[in-house]
Amino acid sequence: RDPSTRMVLAIAYHVRKEGESVPGGVRLPMPLGAIAREVAATDAEIEDALRRLRRLRLVKLTGEELVVPDPARLDDFVKFVHV
């Protein structure tokens, strides 16, 4: 899989397993840099993945905090990219 897809899959995994409920969705409990290292993604690849997810309104990013407004929609997207 390409780095952007690996990043999306890792975000979905960590939100599902360790996410913290916050007003407006579920917060990713770890820094994006940690996920990038986990999937061996460069800064450009991270930006590509986040741009894609923001454009689809699957994530909101404020500084280093990433919130998934609707985890079920993100899971649907993950199923789509797995095909």
Side-chain angles (χ1 to χ4, degrees):
R1 293 201 161 73
D2 66 278
S4 180
T5 300
R6 290 195 313 267
M7 189 77 179
V8 170
L9 294 172
I11 288 169
Y13 172 81
H14 287 290
V15 164
R16 200 170 36 254
K17 296 293 183 187
E18 305 155 4
E20 300 171 7
S21 291
V22 296
V26 178
R27 186 176 72 82
L28 184 68
M30 59 194 306
L32 291 173
I35 292 178
R37 286 188 298 278
E38 180 180 309
V39 300
T42 65
D43 289 345
E45 292 161 340
I46 294 166
E47 286 303 315
D48 181 55
L50 293 176
R51 187 176 17 255
R52 180 189 208 183
L53 292 172
R54 284 192 309 254
R55 186 177 63 243
L56 295 169
R57 293 190 168 94
L58 293 171
V59 301
K60 294 178 183 177
L61 188 61
T62 306
E64 273 290 306
E65 185 171 273
L66 184 136
V67 174
V68 177
D70 184 351
R73 273 193 70 223
L74 181 59
D75 285 340
D76 288 343
F77 182 72
V78 165
K79 290 174 190 169
F80 174 75
V81 297
H82 259 131
V83 173

Coordinates of all heavy atoms in Angstrom, one line a residue:
R1 N 0.8 -1.2 0.0 CA 0.0 0.0 0.0 C 0.9 1.2 0.0 O 2.0 1.3 0.6 CB -0.9 0.0 1.2 CG -1.9 -1.1 1.2 CD -3.0 -0.8 2.1 NE -4.2 -1.6 1.8 CZ -4.3 -2.9 2.1 NH1 -3.4 -3.5 2.6 NH2 -5.4 -3.5 1.7
D2 N 0.3 2.3 -0.6 CA 1.1 3.5 -0.6 C 1.0 4.2 0.8 O 0.2 3.9 1.6 CB 0.5 4.5 -1.7 CG -0.9 4.9 -1.3 OD1 -1.9 4.2 -1.6 OD2 -1.1 6.0 -0.8
P3 N 2.0 5.1 1.1 CA 2.1 5.7 2.4 C 0.8 6.4 2.8 O 0.4 6.4 4.0 CB 3.2 6.7 2.2 CG 4.1 6.1 1.1 CD 3.1 5.5 0.2
S4 N 0.1 7.1 1.9 CA -1.1 7.8 2.2 C -2.2 6.9 2.7 O -2.8 7.1 3.7 CB -1.6 8.6 1.0 OG -2.8 9.3 1.3
T5 N -2.3 5.7 2.0 CA -3.3 4.7 2.5 C -2.9 4.1 3.8 O -3.8 4.0 4.7 CB -3.4 3.6 1.4 OG1 -3.9 4.2 0.2 CG2 -4.4 2.6 1.8
R6 N -1.6 3.9 4.0 CA -1.2 3.3 5.3 C -1.5 4.3 6.4 O -1.9 3.9 7.5 CB 0.3 3.0 5.3 CG 0.7 1.8 4.4 CD 2.1 1.3 4.6 NE 3.1 2.3 4.7 CZ 3.9 2.7 3.6 NH1 3.7 2.2 2.5 NH2 4.8 3.6 3.8
M7 N -1.3 5.6 6.1 CA -1.6 6.6 7.1 C -3.1 6.6 7.5 O -3.4 6.7 8.7 CB -1.1 8.0 6.6 CG -1.2 9.1 7.6 SD 0.2 9.0 8.7 CE -0.1 10.4 9.7
V8 N -3.9 6.6 6.5 CA -5.4 6.5 6.7 C -5.7 5.3 7.5 O -6.5 5.4 8.5 CB -6.1 6.5 5.4 CG1 -7.6 6.3 5.6 CG2 -6.0 7.9 4.6
L9 N -5.2 4.2 7.2 CA -5.5 2.9 7.9 C -5.0 3.0 9.4 O -5.7 2.6 10.3 CB -4.8 1.7 7.2 CG -5.4 1.4 5.8 CD1 -4.5 0.3 5.2 CD2 -6.8 1.0 5.9
A10 N -3.9 3.6 9.6 CA -3.3 3.7 11.0 C -4.2 4.7 11.8 O -4.5 4.4 13.0 CB -1.9 4.2 10.9
I11 N -4.6 5.8 11.2 CA -5.4 6.8 11.9 C -6.7 6.1 12.3 O -7.2 6.2 13.5 CB -5.7 8.0 11.1 CG1 -4.5 8.9 11.0 CG2 -6.9 8.8 11.6 CD1 -4.5 10.0 9.9
A12 N -7.4 5.4 11.4 CA -8.6 4.7 11.7 C -8.4 3.6 12.8 O -9.3 3.5 13.7 CB -9.2 4.0 10.4
Y13 N -7.3 2.9 12.7 CA -7.1 1.9 13.7 C -6.9 2.5 15.1 O -7.6 2.1 16.1 CB -5.8 1.1 13.4 CG -5.4 0.2 14.5 CD1 -5.9 -1.1 14.6 CD2 -4.4 0.6 15.4 CE1 -5.6 -1.9 15.6 CE2 -4.0 -0.3 16.4 CZ -4.6 -1.5 16.5 OH -4.2 -2.4 17.5
H14 N -6.1 3.6 15.2 CA -5.9 4.2 16.5 C -7.1 4.9 17.1 O -7.3 4.9 18.3 CB -4.7 5.1 16.5 CG -3.4 4.4 16.4 ND1 -2.9 3.6 17.4 CD2 -2.5 4.2 15.3 CE1 -1.7 3.0 17.0 NE2 -1.5 3.4 15.8
V15 N -7.9 5.5 16.2 CA -9.1 6.1 16.7 C -10.1 5.1 17.2 O -10.7 5.2 18.3 CB -9.8 6.9 15.5 CG1 -11.2 7.3 15.8 CG2 -9.0 8.2 15.3
R16 N -10.2 3.9 16.5 CA -11.1 2.9 16.9 C -10.6 2.2 18.2 O -11.4 2.0 19.1 CB -11.1 1.8 15.8 CG -12.3 0.9 15.8 CD -12.4 0.1 14.5 NE -11.2 -0.4 13.9 CZ -10.6 0.1 12.8 NH1 -11.2 1.0 12.1 NH2 -9.5 -0.4 12.3
K17 N -9.3 2.0 18.3 CA -8.8 1.2 19.5 C -8.6 2.1 20.7 O -8.7 1.7 21.9 CB -7.5 0.5 19.1 CG -7.7 -0.6 18.1 CD -8.5 -1.7 18.6 CE -8.7 -2.8 17.6 NZ -9.6 -3.8 18.0
E18 N -8.1 3.4 20.5 CA -7.7 4.2 21.6 C -8.3 5.6 21.6 O -7.9 6.4 22.5 CB -6.1 4.4 21.5 CG -5.4 3.0 21.4 CD -4.1 3.2 20.8 OE1 -3.6 4.3 20.4 OE2 -3.4 2.1 20.6
G19 N -9.2 5.8 20.7 CA -9.8 7.2 20.6 C -10.5 7.6 21.9 O -11.1 6.8 22.6
E20 N -10.5 8.9 22.1 CA -11.1 9.6 23.3 C -12.3 10.4 22.8 O -12.1 11.3 21.9 CB -10.1 10.5 24.0 CG -8.9 9.7 24.5 CD -7.8 10.7 25.0 OE1 -8.0 11.9 25.1 OE2 -6.7 10.2 25.3
S21 N -13.5 10.1 23.3 CA -14.7 10.9 23.0 C -14.5 12.3 23.4 O -14.1 12.6 24.6 CB -15.9 10.3 23.6 OG -16.2 9.1 23.0
V22 N -14.8 13.2 22.5 CA -14.7 14.7 22.8 C -15.9 15.3 22.1 O -16.5 14.7 21.3 CB -13.4 15.3 22.3 CG1 -12.2 14.8 23.0 CG2 -13.2 15.2 20.8
P23 N -16.3 16.5 22.5 CA -17.4 17.2 21.8 C -17.0 17.3 20.3 O -15.9 17.7 20.0 CB -17.4 18.6 22.4 CG -16.8 18.4 23.8 CD -15.8 17.3 23.6
G24 N -17.8 16.8 19.5 CA -17.6 16.9 18.1 C -17.0 15.6 17.4 O -16.6 15.6 16.3
G25 N -16.8 14.6 18.2 CA -16.2 13.3 17.6 C -15.3 12.6 18.6 O -15.5 12.5 19.8
V26 N -14.3 11.9 18.0 CA -13.4 11.1 18.7 C -12.0 11.6 18.4 O -11.6 11.8 17.2 CB -13.5 9.6 18.3 CG1 -12.5 8.8 19.0 CG2 -14.9 9.1 18.6
R27 N -11.2 11.9 19.4 CA -9.9 12.5 19.3 C -8.8 11.4 19.2 O -8.9 10.4 19.9 CB -9.5 13.4 20.5 CG -8.2 14.1 20.3 CD -8.0 15.0 21.5 NE -7.7 14.3 22.7 CZ -6.5 13.8 23.0 NH1 -5.5 14.0 22.2 NH2 -6.3 13.2 24.2
L28 N -7.9 11.6 18.2 CA -6.8 10.6 18.1 C -5.9 10.8 19.3 O -5.5 12.0 19.6 CB -6.0 11.0 16.8 CG -4.9 10.1 16.5 CD1 -5.4 8.7 16.1 CD2 -4.1 10.7 15.3
P29 N -5.6 9.8 20.0 CA -4.9 9.9 21.3 C -3.4 10.0 21.2 O -2.7 10.0 22.2 CB -5.3 8.6 22.0 CG -5.4 7.6 20.9 CD -6.0 8.4 19.8
M30 N -2.8 10.1 20.0 CA -1.4 10.2 19.9 C -1.0 11.2 18.8 O -1.8 11.6 18.0 CB -0.8 8.8 19.5 CG -1.4 8.3 18.2 SD -1.1 6.5 17.9 CE 0.6 6.3 18.1
P31 N 0.2 11.8 18.9 CA 0.6 12.7 17.9 C 0.7 12.1 16.5 O 1.0 11.0 16.3 CB 2.0 13.2 18.4 CG 2.3 12.5 19.7 CD 1.2 11.5 19.9
L32 N 0.4 12.9 15.5 CA 0.5 12.5 14.1 C 1.9 12.0 13.8 O 2.0 11.1 13.0 CB 0.0 13.6 13.2 CG -1.5 13.9 13.3 CD1 -1.8 15.1 12.4 CD2 -2.3 12.7 12.8
G33 N 2.9 12.6 14.3 CA 4.2 12.2 14.1 C 4.5 10.8 14.4 O 5.3 10.1 13.8
A34 N 3.9 10.3 15.5 CA 4.1 8.9 16.0 C 3.5 8.0 15.0 O 4.0 6.9 14.6 CB 3.5 8.7 17.3
I35 N 2.3 8.4 14.4 CA 1.7 7.5 13.4 C 2.5 7.5 12.1 O 2.7 6.5 11.5 CB 0.2 8.0 13.2 CG1 -0.6 7.7 14.4 CG2 -0.4 7.2 11.9 CD1 -2.0 8.1 14.3
A36 N 3.0 8.7 11.8 CA 3.9 8.8 10.6 C 5.1 7.9 10.7 O 5.4 7.2 9.7 CB 4.3 10.2 10.3
R37 N 5.7 7.8 11.9 CA 6.8 7.0 12.1 C 6.4 5.5 12.0 O 7.1 4.7 11.4 CB 7.5 7.3 13.4 CG 8.3 8.5 13.4 CD 9.2 8.7 14.6 NE 8.4 8.8 15.8 CZ 7.7 10.0 16.2 NH1 7.8 11.1 15.5 NH2 7.0 10.0 17.4
E38 N 5.2 5.2 12.5 CA 4.7 3.8 12.6 C 4.6 3.3 11.1 O 4.8 2.1 10.9 CB 3.4 3.8 13.3 CG 2.7 2.5 13.4 CD 1.4 2.6 14.1 OE1 1.3 3.2 15.2 OE2 0.4 2.2 13.6
V39 N 4.1 4.1 10.2 CA 3.9 3.7 8.8 C 5.0 4.1 7.9 O 4.9 4.0 6.7 CB 2.5 4.2 8.3 CG1 1.4 3.7 9.2 CG2 2.4 5.7 8.2
A40 N 6.1 4.7 8.4 CA 7.2 5.1 7.6 C 6.8 6.1 6.5 O 7.1 6.0 5.4 CB 7.9 3.9 7.0
A41 N 6.1 7.2 6.9 CA 5.6 8.2 6.0 C 6.4 9.5 6.1 O 6.8 9.8 7.2 CB 4.1 8.5 6.2
T42 N 6.7 10.1 5.0 CA 7.4 11.4 5.0 C 6.4 12.5 5.4 O 5.2 12.3 5.4 CB 8.0 11.7 3.6 OG1 6.9 11.9 2.7 CG2 8.9 10.6 3.2
D43 N 6.9 13.7 5.6 CA 6.0 14.9 5.9 C 5.1 15.1 4.7 O 3.9 15.4 5.0 CB 6.9 16.1 6.2 CG 7.6 16.1 7.5 OD1 7.2 15.2 8.3 OD2 8.5 16.9 7.7
A44 N 5.6 15.0 3.5 CA 4.7 15.2 2.3 C 3.6 14.2 2.3 O 2.4 14.5 1.9 CB 5.5 15.2 1.1
E45 N 3.9 13.0 2.6 CA 2.9 11.9 2.5 C 1.9 12.1 3.6 O 0.7 11.8 3.4 CB 3.6 10.5 2.7 CG 4.4 10.2 1.4 CD 5.4 9.1 1.6 OE1 5.8 8.8 2.8 OE2 5.9 8.6 0.6
I46 N 2.3 12.6 4.8 CA 1.4 12.9 5.9 C 0.4 13.9 5.4 O -0.8 13.8 5.6 CB 2.1 13.3 7.1 CG1 3.0 12.2 7.7 CG2 1.1 13.8 8.2 CD1 4.0 12.7 8.7
E47 N 1.0 15.0 4.9 CA 0.1 16.1 4.4 C -0.9 15.7 3.3 O -2.0 16.1 3.3 CB 1.0 17.3 3.9 CG 1.7 18.0 5.0 CD 0.7 18.6 5.9 OE1 -0.3 19.2 5.5 OE2 0.9 18.5 7.2
D48 N -0.4 14.8 2.4 CA -1.3 14.3 1.4 C -2.5 13.5 2.0 O -3.6 13.7 1.7 CB -0.5 13.4 0.4 CG -1.4 12.8 -0.7 OD1 -2.0 13.6 -1.4 OD2 -1.4 11.6 -0.8
A49 N -2.2 12.6 3.0 CA -3.2 11.8 3.6 C -4.2 12.7 4.4 O -5.4 12.6 4.3 CB -2.6 10.8 4.6
L50 N -3.7 13.7 5.1 CA -4.5 14.6 5.9 C -5.4 15.5 5.0 O -6.5 15.8 5.3 CB -3.7 15.4 6.8 CG -3.0 14.6 8.0 CD1 -2.1 15.5 8.8 CD2 -4.1 13.9 8.8
R51 N -4.8 16.0 3.9 CA -5.5 16.8 2.9 C -6.7 16.0 2.4 O -7.8 16.5 2.3 CB -4.6 17.3 1.8 CG -5.2 18.3 0.9 CD -4.2 18.8 -0.2 NE -3.0 18.0 -0.3 CZ -1.8 18.3 0.1 NH1 -1.6 19.4 0.7 NH2 -0.7 17.6 -0.1
R52 N -6.4 14.8 2.0 CA -7.5 13.9 1.5 C -8.6 13.7 2.5 O -9.8 13.8 2.2 CB -6.8 12.6 1.1 CG -7.7 11.5 0.6 CD -6.8 10.3 0.6 NE -7.2 9.3 -0.4 CZ -6.5 8.2 -0.5 NH1 -5.5 7.9 0.3 NH2 -6.9 7.3 -1.5
L53 N -8.2 13.4 3.8 CA -9.2 13.2 4.8 C -10.0 14.5 5.2 O -11.2 14.4 5.4 CB -8.6 12.6 6.1 CG -8.0 11.2 5.9 CD1 -7.2 10.8 7.1 CD2 -9.1 10.2 5.7
R54 N -9.3 15.6 5.2 CA -10.0 16.9 5.5 C -11.0 17.2 4.3 O -12.1 17.7 4.6 CB -9.0 18.0 5.7 CG -8.3 17.9 7.0 CD -7.6 19.2 7.3 NE -6.7 19.6 6.3 CZ -5.4 19.5 6.3 NH1 -4.8 19.0 7.3 NH2 -4.6 19.9 5.3
R55 N -10.5 17.0 3.1 CA -11.4 17.3 1.9 C -12.7 16.5 2.0 O -13.7 17.0 1.7 CB -10.6 17.1 0.6 CG -11.4 17.5 -0.6 CD -10.6 17.3 -1.9 NE -10.3 15.9 -2.1 CZ -9.1 15.3 -2.2 NH1 -8.0 16.1 -2.0 NH2 -8.9 14.0 -2.4
L56 N -12.6 15.3 2.4 CA -13.7 14.4 2.5 C -14.5 14.6 3.8 O -15.5 13.9 4.1 CB -13.3 12.9 2.4 CG -12.7 12.5 1.1 CD1 -12.1 11.2 1.2 CD2 -13.8 12.6 0.0
R57 N -14.0 15.6 4.7 CA -14.6 15.9 6.0 C -14.7 14.7 6.9 O -15.6 14.5 7.7 CB -16.0 16.5 5.8 CG -16.0 17.8 5.1 CD -17.3 18.5 5.2 NE -17.2 19.9 4.8 CZ -17.4 20.4 3.6 NH1 -17.6 19.6 2.6 NH2 -17.3 21.7 3.3
L58 N -13.6 13.9 6.8 CA -13.5 12.7 7.7 C -12.7 13.0 8.9 O -12.8 12.3 9.9 CB -12.8 11.5 6.9 CG -13.7 11.0 5.8 CD1 -12.9 10.0 5.0 CD2 -15.0 10.3 6.3
V59 N -11.9 14.1 8.9 CA -11.1 14.5 10.1 C -11.2 16.0 10.2 O -11.4 16.7 9.2 CB -9.7 14.0 10.1 CG1 -9.6 12.5 10.0 CG2 -8.9 14.7 9.0
K60 N -10.9 16.5 11.4 CA -10.7 17.9 11.7 C -9.4 18.0 12.3 O -9.0 17.2 13.2 CB -11.8 18.5 12.6 CG -13.2 18.5 12.0 CD -14.1 19.0 13.0 CE -15.6 19.0 12.5 NZ -16.5 19.4 13.5
L61 N -8.5 18.9 11.9 CA -7.2 19.1 12.5 C -7.0 20.5 13.0 O -7.3 21.4 12.3 CB -6.2 18.8 11.4 CG -4.7 18.7 11.8 CD1 -4.5 17.6 12.7 CD2 -3.9 18.5 10.6
T62 N -6.7 20.5 14.3 CA -6.4 21.8 15.0 C -5.0 21.6 15.6 O -4.8 20.9 16.6 CB -7.4 22.1 16.1 OG1 -8.7 22.0 15.5 CG2 -7.2 23.4 16.7
G63 N -4.0 22.2 15.0 CA -2.6 22.1 15.5 C -2.3 20.6 15.3 O -2.3 20.0 14.3
E64 N -1.9 20.0 16.4 CA -1.5 18.5 16.4 C -2.7 17.7 16.8 O -2.5 16.4 16.9 CB -0.3 18.3 17.3 CG 1.0 18.5 16.7 CD 1.4 17.4 15.7 OE1 1.3 16.2 16.0 OE2 1.7 17.8 14.6
E65 N -3.8 18.2 17.1 CA -5.0 17.4 17.5 C -5.9 17.1 16.4 O -6.3 18.0 15.6 CB -5.8 18.2 18.6 CG -6.9 17.4 19.2 CD -7.6 18.0 20.3 OE1 -7.1 17.8 21.5 OE2 -8.6 18.7 20.1
L66 N -6.1 15.8 16.2 CA -6.9 15.3 15.1 C -8.2 14.7 15.7 O -8.1 13.9 16.6 CB -6.2 14.2 14.3 CG -6.9 13.7 13.1 CD1 -6.0 13.6 11.9 CD2 -7.5 12.4 13.4
V67 N -9.3 15.2 15.2 CA -10.6 14.7 15.7 C -11.4 14.1 14.5 O -11.4 14.7 13.4 CB -11.5 15.8 16.3 CG1 -12.9 15.3 16.7 CG2 -10.8 16.3 17.6
V68 N -11.9 12.9 14.7 CA -12.8 12.2 13.7 C -14.2 12.5 14.1 O -14.7 11.9 15.1 CB -12.5 10.7 13.6 CG1 -13.4 10.0 12.6 CG2 -11.0 10.5 13.2
P69 N -14.9 13.3 13.3 CA -16.3 13.6 13.7 C -17.2 12.4 13.7 O -18.1 12.3 14.5 CB -16.8 14.7 12.6 CG -15.5 15.2 12.1 CD -14.5 14.1 12.2
D70 N -17.0 11.5 12.7 CA -17.9 10.4 12.6 C -17.1 9.1 12.3 O -16.8 8.8 11.1 CB -18.9 10.6 11.5 CG -19.9 9.5 11.3 OD1 -19.8 8.4 11.9 OD2 -20.9 9.7 10.5
P71 N -16.6 8.4 13.3 CA -15.8 7.3 13.1 C -16.4 6.2 12.2 O -15.6 5.5 11.4 CB -15.6 6.7 14.5 CG -15.8 7.9 15.4 CD -16.8 8.7 14.7
A72 N -17.7 6.1 12.1 CA -18.3 5.1 11.2 C -18.1 5.5 9.8 O -17.8 4.6 8.9 CB -19.8 5.0 11.5
R73 N -18.1 6.8 9.5 CA -17.8 7.2 8.1 C -16.3 6.9 7.7 O -16.0 6.5 6.6 CB -18.0 8.7 7.9 CG -19.5 9.0 7.6 CD -19.6 10.5 7.1 NE -19.0 10.7 5.8 CZ -18.3 11.8 5.5 NH1 -18.1 12.7 6.4 NH2 -17.7 11.9 4.3
L74 N -15.4 7.1 8.7 CA -14.0 6.8 8.5 C -13.9 5.3 8.2 O -13.1 4.9 7.3 CB -13.1 7.3 9.6 CG -11.6 7.1 9.5 CD1 -11.1 7.8 8.2 CD2 -10.9 7.5 10.7
D75 N -14.5 4.5 9.0 CA -14.5 3.1 8.8 C -15.0 2.7 7.4 O -14.4 1.8 6.7 CB -15.3 2.3 9.8 CG -14.5 2.3 11.2 OD1 -13.3 2.5 11.2 OD2 -15.2 2.1 12.2
D76 N -16.0 3.3 6.9 CA -16.6 3.1 5.6 C -15.5 3.4 4.5 O -15.3 2.7 3.5 CB -17.9 3.9 5.3 CG -19.0 3.3 6.1 OD1 -19.0 2.2 6.6 OD2 -20.1 4.1 6.2
F77 N -14.8 4.5 4.7 CA -13.8 5.0 3.8 C -12.7 3.9 3.8 O -12.1 3.6 2.7 CB -13.3 6.3 4.2 CG -12.2 6.9 3.2 CD1 -12.5 7.3 2.0 CD2 -10.9 6.9 3.6 CE1 -11.6 7.7 1.1 CE2 -9.9 7.4 2.8 CZ -10.3 7.8 1.5
V78 N -12.3 3.4 5.0 CA -11.2 2.4 5.1 C -11.6 1.2 4.3 O -10.8 0.6 3.6 CB -10.9 2.1 6.5 CG1 -10.1 0.8 6.7 CG2 -10.2 3.3 7.2
K79 N -12.9 0.8 4.4 CA -13.3 -0.4 3.6 C -13.2 -0.1 2.2 O -12.8 -1.0 1.4 CB -14.8 -0.7 4.0 CG -14.9 -1.3 5.4 CD -16.4 -1.5 5.8 CE -16.5 -1.8 7.2 NZ -17.9 -1.7 7.7
F80 N -13.5 1.1 1.7 CA -13.4 1.5 0.3 C -12.0 1.4 -0.2 O -11.7 0.9 -1.2 CB -14.0 2.9 0.1 CG -13.8 3.4 -1.2 CD1 -14.6 3.0 -2.3 CD2 -12.8 4.4 -1.5 CE1 -14.4 3.5 -3.6 CE2 -12.7 4.9 -2.8 CZ -13.4 4.4 -3.8
V81 N -11.0 1.9 0.6 CA -9.6 1.9 0.2 C -9.0 0.5 0.2 O -8.0 0.3 -0.5 CB -8.7 2.9 0.9 CG1 -9.2 4.3 0.6 CG2 -8.6 2.6 2.4
H82 N -9.6 -0.4 1.0 CA -9.1 -1.8 1.0 C -9.5 -2.5 -0.2 O -8.9 -3.5 -0.5 CB -9.7 -2.5 2.2 CG -8.8 -2.6 3.4 ND1 -9.1 -2.3 4.6 CD2 -7.5 -3.0 3.4 CE1 -8.1 -2.4 5.4 NE2 -7.1 -2.8 4.7
V83 N -10.5 -2.1 -1.0 CA -10.9 -2.8 -2.2 C -9.9 -2.7 -3.3 O -9.2 -1.8 -3.4 CB -12.3 -2.2 -2.6 CG1 -12.7 -2.9 -3.9 CG2 -13.3 -2.5 -1.5

